[in-house]
Amino acid sequence: MRGDVLPLDPKDTQVDGVQQALLSAAAAEKSGEALGEMLRTLARLPYRTGDQVLKADRMIRHALERSSEVGAAAGARRAAASAVEIMARLHRKLAPVPDETLGALRAIATARDSTVKMTDLALRTAAMQALTASGGADAETLRLTLEDAFSADIRRLAVLALSSGSSPITLEDRLGYLRKRFMDREEEVRLEALRGYVRHYAKTEGCGPVMEMLTDPGEHVVLYALDALGDCPDDENVVNRLIAEARTPPETGNWRRASHALVSLAKRSPSHLEIPLVTHARHGVWQVRMYAARAAAAANEIATLELLASDPHDNVREAALGALRRLKGDAAAPPVLAALDRTDYQLLRTAAREMAGMRVTPELSLALVAALTRVTAERKDTSRDTRLAILERLEEFGSDRYVEQLLPLLRDFDSKIAAAAARTLNAWTGQTYAIDPQPLLPQELPSASELSILVEKVALFKMESGIEFAIRLDPVRAPLMSTRFLRLANRNYYDGLTFHRVVSNFIIQGGSPGANEYVGDGPYVKDEISARSHARGTVGLSTRGRDTGDAQLFINLVDNPRLDFEYTVFGTVRPEHIERLERIHEGDRIINVTFMAVDGRMR
């Protein structure tokens, strides 16, 4: 066989077959919606060669260019642009998006295509997303979209493209465009411009522009600027401003600005940290103390970390524990032992992971076994990550004296835990162990009356900040999670919980009783992945792997196509309420969730 001829790979043959079937079906399809989903599916195939990618591109480009025709092809145009974004994101290394396709996208994004109106925002945004993902926005496209008068989202995407390494615009012009967008009328655009400046230019051009953004009317912009100042080059003005900003927050009201400033001050000038760190570490709001732990970790302040490692709130303890282990080594055993006696799954997982390489002692080994036994007895799916971390550490810390305690896990309700227990036992004894998992009963299926309520009503969130917004659930494409949400809301499960994760221009996430990633409602709910895109305002189910939904939800603040086909979309915020989401900040508490008629009035 010649050296440059590779053997035929069965996977290539399989993909070729599926691709050809989709290409044939798409060529004959009359429904615009069906054609669009065929194109998006075509883009997601697991291609292995550039030829496969280019063959798919030709069909997708054909749909983009047939827009002037009446019928199905015109209706599929947005999906075709979305398909190019998928292709660029997944397959760009195999074959870059061809110039012809980029040209069609540029014409759509800027409305230079005679069939596209400036007000065709969904289509133009999809085209701009594809150009951003592919690095295909040329100088003229950027110039026009940065000034787009119809869509803040298109301007935001243009800023993303502008600040990428592949931007065709000169450094001087890029800086000028970014500074101009600092004054954009929409917060999301100003924030993206500031991010672009910080990522690419602050170290060489200075932090003066970042300091200027501390007067911005948008809190998300200000918090990002404060975070960025922690990594700025030496500047006495920056330090003085951070000292002024890191004052003690009030016991009620906005604590976020001072806490973000404290962490940046710890990075920039630990010598000025002592007084504000003391007051933050003893604050009545646990989130303030959590940020104090992060500041103490940045400044290597062991005394404060030791104080916060015994905090009443487990999220504060968790924030301190890793730094204590780093700074004190094996001498951090006491706070680790104390953490293993707590109930929070995230803290237990962190404690087990931080024990890696620590000196093995009987006390630590017994604490691991006790924590594993205690958490297992709770019989919650959501304990998986915590128990896996403990079992991994027990391979290192345990011995065959604990075999009897682990044998019941071979019949655990979670097959992954049963398999991990078998591995741990094998490591201890050298024997092979068979597993026989005993799954928990599945969630009760939705009833007709529940589905009827979900069709007729919306879920109304009332927040402690005064914000209200309504979510229309989707019992057709996500009946399991929609019903799960209804049942939990009717049990007042969400009342008093927070949005603990806020990532501007991305998502807000909440619904955790522990206000963290690892504490949620006990039984997992199966994924219900559909073709619904993670558009702005859609509501998704937070997971940590397939079929691990624990009733935590996230809401997309912008279009997030990279989340498509990965997470369940089970609802949509009412369009007129989406802008209210921008005013939700970390720690904002849900007063209650109630249900009202779809056409009900609300303020």
Side-chain angles (χ1 to χ4, degrees), residues 231-261:
D231 297 315
C232 279
D234 288 340
D235 187 327
E236 185 177 351
N237 291 329
V238 170
V239 173
N240 289 335
R241 183 58 183 266
L242 288 174
I243 292 171
E245 292 280 354
R247 62 192 182 281
T248 305
E251 290 292 328
T252 58
N254 190 339
W255 52 266
R256 293 173 293 273
R257 183 165 182 149
S259 292
H260 281 251

PDB file of all heavy atoms in Angstrom, residues 231-261:
ATOM      1  N   ASP A 231      -5.896  43.313  37.883  1.00  0.00           N
ATOM      2  CA  ASP A 231      -4.808  42.796  37.035  1.00  0.00           C
ATOM      3  C   ASP A 231      -4.116  43.893  36.255  1.00  0.00           C
ATOM      4  O   ASP A 231      -3.354  43.609  35.322  1.00  0.00           O
ATOM      5  CB  ASP A 231      -5.376  41.750  36.064  1.00  0.00           C
ATOM      6  CG  ASP A 231      -5.954  40.545  36.792  1.00  0.00           C
ATOM      7  OD1 ASP A 231      -5.284  40.056  37.715  1.00  0.00           O
ATOM      8  OD2 ASP A 231      -7.077  40.111  36.448  1.00  0.00           O
ATOM      9  N   CYS A 232      -4.380  45.134  36.597  1.00  0.00           N
ATOM     10  CA  CYS A 232      -3.758  46.248  35.875  1.00  0.00           C
ATOM     11  C   CYS A 232      -2.288  46.403  36.248  1.00  0.00           C
ATOM     12  O   CYS A 232      -1.865  46.008  37.337  1.00  0.00           O
ATOM     13  CB  CYS A 232      -4.501  47.542  36.201  1.00  0.00           C
ATOM     14  SG  CYS A 232      -6.005  47.762  35.240  1.00  0.00           S
ATOM     15  N   PRO A 233      -1.485  47.006  35.361  1.00  0.00           N
ATOM     16  CA  PRO A 233      -0.101  47.320  35.720  1.00  0.00           C
ATOM     17  C   PRO A 233      -0.053  48.280  36.908  1.00  0.00           C
ATOM     18  O   PRO A 233      -1.053  48.909  37.256  1.00  0.00           O
ATOM     19  CB  PRO A 233       0.458  47.982  34.435  1.00  0.00           C
ATOM     20  CG  PRO A 233      -0.471  47.561  33.350  1.00  0.00           C
ATOM     21  CD  PRO A 233      -1.811  47.387  33.972  1.00  0.00           C
ATOM     22  N   ASP A 234       1.124  48.389  37.523  1.00  0.00           N
ATOM     23  CA  ASP A 234       1.283  49.256  38.695  1.00  0.00           C
ATOM     24  C   ASP A 234       0.817  50.671  38.388  1.00  0.00           C
ATOM     25  O   ASP A 234       1.239  51.294  37.409  1.00  0.00           O
ATOM     26  CB  ASP A 234       2.747  49.287  39.136  1.00  0.00           C
ATOM     27  CG  ASP A 234       3.168  47.973  39.771  1.00  0.00           C
ATOM     28  OD1 ASP A 234       2.266  47.229  40.208  1.00  0.00           O
ATOM     29  OD2 ASP A 234       4.375  47.690  39.822  1.00  0.00           O
ATOM     30  N   ASP A 235      -0.058  51.161  39.222  1.00  0.00           N
ATOM     31  CA  ASP A 235      -0.594  52.509  39.046  1.00  0.00           C
ATOM     32  C   ASP A 235      -1.137  52.964  40.393  1.00  0.00           C
ATOM     33  O   ASP A 235      -2.083  52.373  40.929  1.00  0.00           O
ATOM     34  CB  ASP A 235      -1.700  52.505  37.989  1.00  0.00           C
ATOM     35  CG  ASP A 235      -2.185  53.905  37.645  1.00  0.00           C
ATOM     36  OD1 ASP A 235      -2.196  54.767  38.547  1.00  0.00           O
ATOM     37  OD2 ASP A 235      -2.550  54.131  36.490  1.00  0.00           O
ATOM     38  N   GLU A 236      -0.557  54.014  40.953  1.00  0.00           N
ATOM     39  CA  GLU A 236      -0.977  54.495  42.269  1.00  0.00           C
ATOM     40  C   GLU A 236      -2.430  54.950  42.258  1.00  0.00           C
ATOM     41  O   GLU A 236      -3.159  54.767  43.240  1.00  0.00           O
ATOM     42  CB  GLU A 236      -0.070  55.641  42.698  1.00  0.00           C
ATOM     43  CG  GLU A 236      -0.345  56.130  44.123  1.00  0.00           C
ATOM     44  CD  GLU A 236       0.613  57.217  44.557  1.00  0.00           C
ATOM     45  OE1 GLU A 236       1.601  57.474  43.818  1.00  0.00           O
ATOM     46  OE2 GLU A 236       0.378  57.814  45.622  1.00  0.00           O
ATOM     47  N   ASN A 237      -2.880  55.507  41.140  1.00  0.00           N
ATOM     48  CA  ASN A 237      -4.270  55.962  41.055  1.00  0.00           C
ATOM     49  C   ASN A 237      -5.242  54.792  41.161  1.00  0.00           C
ATOM     50  O   ASN A 237      -6.309  54.911  41.780  1.00  0.00           O
ATOM     51  CB  ASN A 237      -4.497  56.715  39.740  1.00  0.00           C
ATOM     52  CG  ASN A 237      -3.763  58.038  39.701  1.00  0.00           C
ATOM     53  OD1 ASN A 237      -3.567  58.674  40.731  1.00  0.00           O
ATOM     54  ND2 ASN A 237      -3.359  58.444  38.509  1.00  0.00           N
ATOM     55  N   VAL A 238      -4.860  53.660  40.544  1.00  0.00           N
ATOM     56  CA  VAL A 238      -5.711  52.480  40.617  1.00  0.00           C
ATOM     57  C   VAL A 238      -5.823  52.002  42.058  1.00  0.00           C
ATOM     58  O   VAL A 238      -6.916  51.701  42.561  1.00  0.00           O
ATOM     59  CB  VAL A 238      -5.155  51.361  39.712  1.00  0.00           C
ATOM     60  CG1 VAL A 238      -5.885  50.044  39.970  1.00  0.00           C
ATOM     61  CG2 VAL A 238      -5.281  51.747  38.244  1.00  0.00           C
ATOM     62  N   VAL A 239      -4.697  51.913  42.751  1.00  0.00           N
ATOM     63  CA  VAL A 239      -4.705  51.449  44.142  1.00  0.00           C
ATOM     64  C   VAL A 239      -5.545  52.367  45.016  1.00  0.00           C
ATOM     65  O   VAL A 239      -6.380  51.912  45.821  1.00  0.00           O
ATOM     66  CB  VAL A 239      -3.265  51.348  44.690  1.00  0.00           C
ATOM     67  CG1 VAL A 239      -3.277  51.042  46.183  1.00  0.00           C
ATOM     68  CG2 VAL A 239      -2.492  50.276  43.937  1.00  0.00           C
ATOM     69  N   ASN A 240      -5.370  53.668  44.857  1.00  0.00           N
ATOM     70  CA  ASN A 240      -6.131  54.615  45.674  1.00  0.00           C
ATOM     71  C   ASN A 240      -7.630  54.485  45.415  1.00  0.00           C
ATOM     72  O   ASN A 240      -8.439  54.585  46.347  1.00  0.00           O
ATOM     73  CB  ASN A 240      -5.667  56.043  45.395  1.00  0.00           C
ATOM     74  CG  ASN A 240      -4.286  56.316  45.960  1.00  0.00           C
ATOM     75  OD1 ASN A 240      -3.850  55.662  46.906  1.00  0.00           O
ATOM     76  ND2 ASN A 240      -3.587  57.287  45.379  1.00  0.00           N
ATOM     77  N   ARG A 241      -7.980  54.260  44.161  1.00  0.00           N
ATOM     78  CA  ARG A 241      -9.413  54.119  43.846  1.00  0.00           C
ATOM     79  C   ARG A 241      -9.967  52.830  44.452  1.00  0.00           C
ATOM     80  O   ARG A 241     -11.086  52.813  44.990  1.00  0.00           O
ATOM     81  CB  ARG A 241      -9.618  54.142  42.338  1.00  0.00           C
ATOM     82  CG  ARG A 241     -11.087  54.073  41.915  1.00  0.00           C
ATOM     83  CD  ARG A 241     -11.886  55.245  42.519  1.00  0.00           C
ATOM     84  NE  ARG A 241     -13.293  55.161  42.197  1.00  0.00           N
ATOM     85  CZ  ARG A 241     -13.862  55.770  41.153  1.00  0.00           C
ATOM     86  NH1 ARG A 241     -13.125  56.508  40.323  1.00  0.00           N
ATOM     87  NH2 ARG A 241     -15.153  55.665  40.924  1.00  0.00           N
ATOM     88  N   LEU A 242      -9.204  51.754  44.386  1.00  0.00           N
ATOM     89  CA  LEU A 242      -9.668  50.492  44.965  1.00  0.00           C
ATOM     90  C   LEU A 242      -9.804  50.596  46.478  1.00  0.00           C
ATOM     91  O   LEU A 242     -10.737  50.028  47.070  1.00  0.00           O
ATOM     92  CB  LEU A 242      -8.722  49.358  44.591  1.00  0.00           C
ATOM     93  CG  LEU A 242      -8.763  48.906  43.130  1.00  0.00           C
ATOM     94  CD1 LEU A 242      -7.673  47.885  42.842  1.00  0.00           C
ATOM     95  CD2 LEU A 242     -10.139  48.314  42.783  1.00  0.00           C
ATOM     96  N   ILE A 243      -8.886  51.322  47.124  1.00  0.00           N
ATOM     97  CA  ILE A 243      -8.998  51.527  48.574  1.00  0.00           C
ATOM     98  C   ILE A 243     -10.314  52.237  48.888  1.00  0.00           C
ATOM     99  O   ILE A 243     -11.036  51.884  49.838  1.00  0.00           O
ATOM    100  CB  ILE A 243      -7.802  52.346  49.098  1.00  0.00           C
ATOM    101  CG1 ILE A 243      -6.515  51.525  48.992  1.00  0.00           C
ATOM    102  CG2 ILE A 243      -8.039  52.773  50.540  1.00  0.00           C
ATOM    103  CD1 ILE A 243      -5.255  52.326  49.285  1.00  0.00           C
ATOM    104  N   ALA A 244     -10.633  53.251  48.102  1.00  0.00           N
ATOM    105  CA  ALA A 244     -11.868  54.004  48.321  1.00  0.00           C
ATOM    106  C   ALA A 244     -13.103  53.149  48.055  1.00  0.00           C
ATOM    107  O   ALA A 244     -14.123  53.276  48.744  1.00  0.00           O
ATOM    108  CB  ALA A 244     -11.879  55.254  47.442  1.00  0.00           C
ATOM    109  N   GLU A 245     -13.011  52.267  47.045  1.00  0.00           N
ATOM    110  CA  GLU A 245     -14.168  51.453  46.669  1.00  0.00           C
ATOM    111  C   GLU A 245     -14.409  50.303  47.643  1.00  0.00           C
ATOM    112  O   GLU A 245     -15.542  49.842  47.815  1.00  0.00           O
ATOM    113  CB  GLU A 245     -13.967  50.883  45.259  1.00  0.00           C
ATOM    114  CG  GLU A 245     -13.977  51.905  44.143  1.00  0.00           C
ATOM    115  CD  GLU A 245     -15.381  52.318  43.753  1.00  0.00           C
ATOM    116  OE1 GLU A 245     -16.350  51.733  44.273  1.00  0.00           O
ATOM    117  OE2 GLU A 245     -15.507  53.248  42.925  1.00  0.00           O
ATOM    118  N   ALA A 246     -13.335  49.792  48.276  1.00  0.00           N
ATOM    119  CA  ALA A 246     -13.439  48.592  49.113  1.00  0.00           C
ATOM    120  C   ALA A 246     -13.899  48.923  50.525  1.00  0.00           C
ATOM    121  O   ALA A 246     -13.471  48.288  51.491  1.00  0.00           O
ATOM    122  CB  ALA A 246     -12.093  47.865  49.134  1.00  0.00           C
ATOM    123  N   ARG A 247     -14.784  49.869  50.649  1.00  0.00           N
ATOM    124  CA  ARG A 247     -15.310  50.228  51.966  1.00  0.00           C
ATOM    125  C   ARG A 247     -16.247  49.114  52.448  1.00  0.00           C
ATOM    126  O   ARG A 247     -16.677  48.269  51.673  1.00  0.00           O
ATOM    127  CB  ARG A 247     -16.071  51.540  51.885  1.00  0.00           C
ATOM    128  CG  ARG A 247     -17.284  51.468  50.967  1.00  0.00           C
ATOM    129  CD  ARG A 247     -17.860  52.820  50.650  1.00  0.00           C
ATOM    130  NE  ARG A 247     -19.054  52.716  49.818  1.00  0.00           N
ATOM    131  CZ  ARG A 247     -19.029  52.508  48.502  1.00  0.00           C
ATOM    132  NH1 ARG A 247     -17.869  52.371  47.877  1.00  0.00           N
ATOM    133  NH2 ARG A 247     -20.142  52.429  47.806  1.00  0.00           N
ATOM    134  N   THR A 248     -16.579  49.147  53.717  1.00  0.00           N
ATOM    135  CA  THR A 248     -17.475  48.130  54.274  1.00  0.00           C
ATOM    136  C   THR A 248     -18.883  48.321  53.713  1.00  0.00           C
ATOM    137  O   THR A 248     -19.458  49.420  53.824  1.00  0.00           O
ATOM    138  CB  THR A 248     -17.529  48.243  55.804  1.00  0.00           C
ATOM    139  OG1 THR A 248     -16.200  48.176  56.325  1.00  0.00           O
ATOM    140  CG2 THR A 248     -18.362  47.106  56.386  1.00  0.00           C
ATOM    141  N   PRO A 249     -19.457  47.301  53.111  1.00  0.00           N
ATOM    142  CA  PRO A 249     -20.807  47.448  52.551  1.00  0.00           C
ATOM    143  C   PRO A 249     -21.849  47.585  53.660  1.00  0.00           C
ATOM    144  O   PRO A 249     -21.626  47.155  54.794  1.00  0.00           O
ATOM    145  CB  PRO A 249     -21.017  46.141  51.776  1.00  0.00           C
ATOM    146  CG  PRO A 249     -19.695  45.461  51.729  1.00  0.00           C
ATOM    147  CD  PRO A 249     -18.907  45.958  52.890  1.00  0.00           C
ATOM    148  N   PRO A 250     -22.986  48.147  53.346  1.00  0.00           N
ATOM    149  CA  PRO A 250     -24.070  48.201  54.337  1.00  0.00           C
ATOM    150  C   PRO A 250     -24.601  46.797  54.616  1.00  0.00           C
ATOM    151  O   PRO A 250     -24.452  45.891  53.801  1.00  0.00           O
ATOM    152  CB  PRO A 250     -25.133  49.074  53.658  1.00  0.00           C
ATOM    153  CG  PRO A 250     -24.860  48.915  52.189  1.00  0.00           C
ATOM    154  CD  PRO A 250     -23.373  48.757  52.058  1.00  0.00           C
ATOM    155  N   GLU A 251     -25.206  46.611  55.773  1.00  0.00           N
ATOM    156  CA  GLU A 251     -25.755  45.297  56.123  1.00  0.00           C
ATOM    157  C   GLU A 251     -26.961  44.938  55.259  1.00  0.00           C
ATOM    158  O   GLU A 251     -27.282  43.766  55.085  1.00  0.00           O
ATOM    159  CB  GLU A 251     -26.143  45.258  57.601  1.00  0.00           C
ATOM    160  CG  GLU A 251     -24.951  45.269  58.541  1.00  0.00           C
ATOM    161  CD  GLU A 251     -24.117  43.990  58.471  1.00  0.00           C
ATOM    162  OE1 GLU A 251     -24.685  42.916  58.214  1.00  0.00           O
ATOM    163  OE2 GLU A 251     -22.887  44.079  58.660  1.00  0.00           O
ATOM    164  N   THR A 252     -27.630  45.929  54.730  1.00  0.00           N
ATOM    165  CA  THR A 252     -28.707  45.707  53.766  1.00  0.00           C
ATOM    166  C   THR A 252     -28.428  46.580  52.554  1.00  0.00           C
ATOM    167  O   THR A 252     -27.916  47.688  52.673  1.00  0.00           O
ATOM    168  CB  THR A 252     -30.085  46.066  54.359  1.00  0.00           C
ATOM    169  OG1 THR A 252     -30.082  47.435  54.768  1.00  0.00           O
ATOM    170  CG2 THR A 252     -30.406  45.182  55.552  1.00  0.00           C
ATOM    171  N   GLY A 253     -28.774  46.066  51.378  1.00  0.00           N
ATOM    172  CA  GLY A 253     -28.533  46.829  50.162  1.00  0.00           C
ATOM    173  C   GLY A 253     -27.404  46.241  49.347  1.00  0.00           C
ATOM    174  O   GLY A 253     -27.042  45.073  49.488  1.00  0.00           O
ATOM    175  N   ASN A 254     -26.840  47.075  48.497  1.00  0.00           N
ATOM    176  CA  ASN A 254     -25.860  46.600  47.519  1.00  0.00           C
ATOM    177  C   ASN A 254     -24.493  46.398  48.165  1.00  0.00           C
ATOM    178  O   ASN A 254     -23.848  47.346  48.613  1.00  0.00           O
ATOM    179  CB  ASN A 254     -25.758  47.616  46.370  1.00  0.00           C
ATOM    180  CG  ASN A 254     -24.946  47.083  45.204  1.00  0.00           C
ATOM    181  OD1 ASN A 254     -24.149  46.165  45.343  1.00  0.00           O
ATOM    182  ND2 ASN A 254     -25.164  47.659  44.032  1.00  0.00           N
ATOM    183  N   TRP A 255     -24.049  45.153  48.197  1.00  0.00           N
ATOM    184  CA  TRP A 255     -22.728  44.809  48.736  1.00  0.00           C
ATOM    185  C   TRP A 255     -21.718  44.508  47.637  1.00  0.00           C
ATOM    186  O   TRP A 255     -20.522  44.391  47.891  1.00  0.00           O
ATOM    187  CB  TRP A 255     -22.843  43.556  49.614  1.00  0.00           C
ATOM    188  CG  TRP A 255     -23.542  42.415  48.926  1.00  0.00           C
ATOM    189  CD1 TRP A 255     -24.859  42.099  48.986  1.00  0.00           C
ATOM    190  CD2 TRP A 255     -22.960  41.450  48.043  1.00  0.00           C
ATOM    191  NE1 TRP A 255     -25.159  41.014  48.202  1.00  0.00           N
ATOM    192  CE2 TRP A 255     -23.991  40.588  47.611  1.00  0.00           C
ATOM    193  CE3 TRP A 255     -21.666  41.228  47.567  1.00  0.00           C
ATOM    194  CZ2 TRP A 255     -23.780  39.522  46.731  1.00  0.00           C
ATOM    195  CZ3 TRP A 255     -21.453  40.174  46.698  1.00  0.00           C
ATOM    196  CH2 TRP A 255     -22.504  39.336  46.281  1.00  0.00           C
ATOM    197  N   ARG A 256     -22.178  44.366  46.392  1.00  0.00           N
ATOM    198  CA  ARG A 256     -21.350  43.785  45.328  1.00  0.00           C
ATOM    199  C   ARG A 256     -20.171  44.677  44.939  1.00  0.00           C
ATOM    200  O   ARG A 256     -19.054  44.183  44.733  1.00  0.00           O
ATOM    201  CB  ARG A 256     -22.223  43.468  44.106  1.00  0.00           C
ATOM    202  CG  ARG A 256     -23.232  42.357  44.366  1.00  0.00           C
ATOM    203  CD  ARG A 256     -24.192  42.181  43.213  1.00  0.00           C
ATOM    204  NE  ARG A 256     -25.072  43.328  43.052  1.00  0.00           N
ATOM    205  CZ  ARG A 256     -26.234  43.478  43.706  1.00  0.00           C
ATOM    206  NH1 ARG A 256     -26.640  42.569  44.566  1.00  0.00           N
ATOM    207  NH2 ARG A 256     -26.982  44.551  43.508  1.00  0.00           N
ATOM    208  N   ARG A 257     -20.405  45.962  44.834  1.00  0.00           N
ATOM    209  CA  ARG A 257     -19.335  46.851  44.366  1.00  0.00           C
ATOM    210  C   ARG A 257     -18.143  46.819  45.324  1.00  0.00           C
ATOM    211  O   ARG A 257     -16.989  46.657  44.897  1.00  0.00           O
ATOM    212  CB  ARG A 257     -19.886  48.272  44.223  1.00  0.00           C
ATOM    213  CG  ARG A 257     -18.875  49.268  43.683  1.00  0.00           C
ATOM    214  CD  ARG A 257     -19.560  50.535  43.226  1.00  0.00           C
ATOM    215  NE  ARG A 257     -18.599  51.483  42.666  1.00  0.00           N
ATOM    216  CZ  ARG A 257     -18.878  52.354  41.708  1.00  0.00           C
ATOM    217  NH1 ARG A 257     -20.079  52.395  41.173  1.00  0.00           N
ATOM    218  NH2 ARG A 257     -17.946  53.188  41.255  1.00  0.00           N
ATOM    219  N   ALA A 258     -18.391  46.949  46.606  1.00  0.00           N
ATOM    220  CA  ALA A 258     -17.299  46.947  47.580  1.00  0.00           C
ATOM    221  C   ALA A 258     -16.590  45.598  47.629  1.00  0.00           C
ATOM    222  O   ALA A 258     -15.363  45.537  47.764  1.00  0.00           O
ATOM    223  CB  ALA A 258     -17.837  47.312  48.955  1.00  0.00           C
ATOM    224  N   SER A 259     -17.338  44.518  47.491  1.00  0.00           N
ATOM    225  CA  SER A 259     -16.730  43.186  47.571  1.00  0.00           C
ATOM    226  C   SER A 259     -15.851  42.898  46.364  1.00  0.00           C
ATOM    227  O   SER A 259     -14.766  42.327  46.506  1.00  0.00           O
ATOM    228  CB  SER A 259     -17.830  42.127  47.706  1.00  0.00           C
ATOM    229  OG  SER A 259     -18.471  42.231  48.957  1.00  0.00           O
ATOM    230  N   HIS A 260     -16.286  43.279  45.183  1.00  0.00           N
ATOM    231  CA  HIS A 260     -15.445  43.103  43.994  1.00  0.00           C
ATOM    232  C   HIS A 260     -14.177  43.952  44.112  1.00  0.00           C
ATOM    233  O   HIS A 260     -13.086  43.514  43.739  1.00  0.00           O
ATOM    234  CB  HIS A 260     -16.225  43.478  42.738  1.00  0.00           C
ATOM    235  CG  HIS A 260     -17.169  42.407  42.284  1.00  0.00           C
ATOM    236  ND1 HIS A 260     -16.956  41.656  41.152  1.00  0.00           N
ATOM    237  CD2 HIS A 260     -18.328  41.956  42.817  1.00  0.00           C
ATOM    238  CE1 HIS A 260     -17.952  40.798  41.006  1.00  0.00           C
ATOM    239  NE2 HIS A 260     -18.807  40.962  42.004  1.00  0.00           N
ATOM    240  N   ALA A 261     -14.327  45.160  44.631  1.00  0.00           N
ATOM    241  CA  ALA A 261     -13.155  46.029  44.809  1.00  0.00           C
ATOM    242  C   ALA A 261     -12.177  45.418  45.807  1.00  0.00           C
ATOM    243  O   ALA A 261     -10.951  45.521  45.633  1.00  0.00           O
ATOM    244  CB  ALA A 261     -13.602  47.414  45.274  1.00  0.00           C
TER     245      ALA A 261
END
